[in-house]
Amino acid sequence: YNGKKTLGLFIYDLADKSFTRKLFQHDTYDVSGIVLSADGKRVIGAEYIADSVETVFFDAKAKARMETIQSKLAGYTLRFMDETPDGNKVLLKAHAPDVPASLILFNVSTGKWMNMGNAYPALSGFTHAHVQPVKYTVQDGESIPGYVTLPQKVLATGKIENVPFIVLPHGGPFSRDTASFDYIAQYLASRGYGVLQMNFRGSIGYGFEFQQAGRSDWRVMQSDVTDGANWLLEKGYADKDRMCIMGWSYGGYAALMGAVEHSDMYKCAISIAGVTDLPALADDLMKFRFGRRM
């Protein structure tokens, strides 16, 4: 952090035990990874996750290549994977919120690209649901980012009103959702449900304070989830008689707690591998290497 609220990328001198240079630090989002040169010897960029993975290149040639590629693949989020030593062929992961990820081999000199394979190939040819980034304000004034996935038939009407909704908090809980193809949300939308996913406090990527607010008090995370459901109702987006909560791991815990605390709000709760006994979970972790730290 080096004095700021978000994780940055720095050069650290092990002999002097001091930071010598900042490579990159975003004001809102944590650095999530680095990009290496083809030979693996140089750091040529940094990644952070806004609504999807964003890459900042320090190397001018790499930056120019990526801008050229992005112009040819407009509408897709591109993630740099690897390149040939001469930089002429670049391997990329390309995706969009409503398109499963593809592995693309791009030839810079010709401007042509080849699809090396798709995630979920059986879904090719289908029209998938629309994903919209949203934000809602919770009780104490914090702004919570999230994503609403809407069925095609809802979009066709031109209005979002009284839609059956699934509230879908992510697992972890120290993880996060992004504006990328989510097979569970897309499956639910294909069956006519709207889906709300939120990055409640405790989610990673938004800085130290945002994550710690949830880490120190799971009630804060649960409250942020509930406020998301209330936001759907207040906006008139969700049908109050057809709203459920669903999740896995921590999200399963959140679904069960939602059913306990707000049985009048949710008509069903679906817990997939949900956490149900926190002391037992903590005791079990102690059996494994690094478990005590976790």
Side-chain angles (χ1 to χ4, degrees), residues 235-254:
K235 288 284 188 180
Y237 297 156
D239 184 339
K240 65 180 179 62
D241 295 320
R242 293 186 296 167
M243 186 163 68
C244 292
I245 184 168
M246 170 180 170
W248 61 96
S249 188
Y250 171 79
Y253 165 90

Side-chain angles (χ1 to χ4, degrees), residues 58-129:
F58 313 136
D59 182 276
K61 290 183 178 179
K63 180 180 179 181
R65 278 198 300 273
M66 187 58 78
E67 288 175 348
T68 298
I69 296 169
Q70 186 71 71
S71 68
K72 300 286 186 178
L73 293 167
Y76 288 89
T77 295
L78 303 179
R79 188 175 186 187
F80 176 90
M81 304 296 288
D82 206 349
E83 65 181 0
T84 54
D86 62 3
N88 187 51
K89 292 182 180 178
V90 182
L91 192 65
L92 305 146
K93 180 181 178 182
H95 68 88
D98 57 350
V99 181
S102 299
L103 196 62
I104 300 294
L105 183 64
F106 192 95
N107 189 311
V108 178
S109 61
T110 65
K112 295 182 179 180
W113 53 274
M114 181 187 303
N115 188 338
M116 305 294 288
N118 300 315
Y120 313 118
L123 298 182
S124 60
F126 283 86
T127 300
H128 300 295

Side-chain angles (χ1 to χ4, degrees), residues 29 48-54 77 95 97 132-135 145-147 176-180 199 206:
Y29 305 107
Y48 66 93
I49 304 174
D51 284 323
S52 57
V53 176
E54 304 282 352
T77 295
H95 68 88
Q132 179 66 46
V134 298
K135 284 188 176 182
Y147 305 95
R176 61 160 293 171
D177 283 316
T178 62
S180 58
N199 287 325
Y206 296 94

Side-chain angles (χ1 to χ4, degrees), residues 53-291:
V53 176
E54 304 282 352
T55 305
V56 177
F57 285 98
F58 313 136
D59 182 276
K61 290 183 178 179
K63 180 180 179 181
R65 278 198 300 273
M66 187 58 78
E67 288 175 348
T68 298
I69 296 169
Q70 186 71 71
S71 68
K72 300 286 186 178
L73 293 167
Y76 288 89
T77 295
L78 303 179
R79 188 175 186 187
F80 176 90
M81 304 296 288
D82 206 349
E83 65 181 0
T84 54
D86 62 3
N88 187 51
K89 292 182 180 178
V90 182
L91 192 65
L92 305 146
K93 180 181 178 182
H95 68 88
D98 57 350
V99 181
S102 299
L103 196 62
I104 300 294
L105 183 64
F106 192 95
N107 189 311
V108 178
S109 61
T110 65
K112 295 182 179 180
W113 53 274
M114 181 187 303
N115 188 338
M116 305 294 288
N118 300 315
Y120 313 118
L123 298 182
S124 60
F126 283 86
T127 300
H128 300 295
H130 175 72
V131 181
Q132 179 66 46
V134 298
K135 284 188 176 182
Y136 61 88
T137 302
V138 296
Q139 297 172 36
D140 61 6
E142 182 69 67
S143 181
I144 302 298
Y147 305 95
V148 169
T149 303
L150 293 171
Q152 287 292 327
K153 67 178 184 179
V154 172
L155 292 176
T157 67
K159 60 181 179 180
I160 311 169
E161 188 175 77
N162 292 328
V163 178
F165 252 92
I166 306 292
V167 176
L168 186 64
H170 62 71
F174 311 118
S175 178
R176 61 160 293 171
D177 283 316
T178 62
S180 58
F181 188 86
D182 186 304
Y183 71 93
I184 291 182
Q186 289 288 336
Y187 170 76
L188 293 170
S190 76
R191 298 301 183 263
Y193 297 99
V195 181
L196 172 64
Q197 298 167 278
M198 71 287 288
N199 287 325
F200 43 79
R201 279 171 289 187
S203 302
I204 63 173
Y206 296 94
F208 181 79
E209 293 177 2
F210 193 92
Q211 182 176 335
Q212 288 300 116
R215 185 182 290 272
S216 61
D217 189 347
W218 280 28
R219 289 171 297 183
V220 170
M221 297 193 289
Q222 193 68 31
S223 178
D224 288 350
V225 172
T226 302
D227 286 347
N230 281 322
W231 175 76
L232 289 173
L233 295 172
E234 290 165 4
K235 288 284 188 180
Y237 297 156
D239 184 339
K240 65 180 179 62
D241 295 320
R242 293 186 296 167
M243 186 163 68
C244 292
I245 184 168
M246 170 180 170
W248 61 96
S249 188
Y250 171 79
Y253 165 90
L256 294 172
M257 288 303 296
V260 169
E261 296 182 331
H262 302 286
S263 59
D264 57 332
M265 177 184 291
Y266 300 116
K267 302 309 173 187
C268 68
I270 304 155
S271 174
I272 307 168
V275 175
T276 55
D277 190 330
L278 296 182
L281 176 65
D283 288 344
D284 192 57
L285 283 172
M286 292 295 200
K287 301 173 186 176
F288 298 90
R289 183 178 293 180
F290 306 121

